Amino acid sequence: MSVYAYKDAIASFDRVLELKPDSYKAWYNRAVALSCLNRYSDALASLNQALQIKPSCHYGWNYRGMVLAKLGQFIGSQASFDQSLQIKPNNANAWYGKACCYALQENTDLALSHLKQAISYSPYLCQLMAKTDPNFNKIRQDPHFQALLQA
């Protein structure tokens, strides 16, 4: 998708929000578009707005965790994933996100533990994503990581 498409999408979500400022889905989707433009602080603000409107939005908490990880705010990121897991415990995306955060911090044991949990809920997708996800580059050569992807 081109930069212009994301900018158009943001403008569209802004128009929706002028008419319906309590649309958590518009706030969430606006955050996704902003994130695609690497505007993580703006995306975080939109996610916070979405979650203020609908605190039980587990995928909003997941995305917030991802955005905070991009900003290097790992404690807040982990807390967001934990909030998502309180709402939906079998949420492979939240477990995967936690694994990414730990991998970025080179905490191999916790990264593998959380990735294993994610794989238990969504084996094919999580293994496939982890094979090429740059978030795992710092632990990619670890034999336990390699074994987990082959299981």
Side-chain angles (χ1 to χ4, degrees), residues 117-136:
Q117 191 71 28
I119 289 170
S120 76
Y121 292 119
S122 184
Y124 177 76
L125 183 60
C126 288
Q127 283 178 317
L128 184 66
M129 289 189 318
K131 286 180 181 178
T132 58
D133 189 334
N135 290 316
F136 292 107

Side-chain angles (χ1 to χ4, degrees), residues 42-87:
D42 294 333
L44 181 60
S46 285
L47 286 166
N48 288 342
Q49 196 64 35
L51 292 166
Q52 185 175 355
I53 296 164
K54 185 166 182 176
S56 63
C57 180
H58 75 276
Y59 57 87
W61 287 108
N62 283 347
Y63 209 79
R64 185 177 189 273
M66 291 172 51
V67 168
L68 285 168
K70 293 281 188 187
L71 292 168
Q73 297 179 25
F74 297 116
I75 294 171
S77 176
Q78 293 289 2
S80 291
F81 291 125
D82 288 341
Q83 186 65 37
S84 179
L85 289 167
Q86 283 185 2
I87 298 163

Side-chain angles (χ1 to χ4, degrees), residues 5-18:
Y6 291 119
K7 288 180 179 179
D8 288 346
I10 293 165
S12 294
F13 293 126
D14 287 344
R15 282 193 294 280
V16 169
L17 291 167
E18 286 174 16

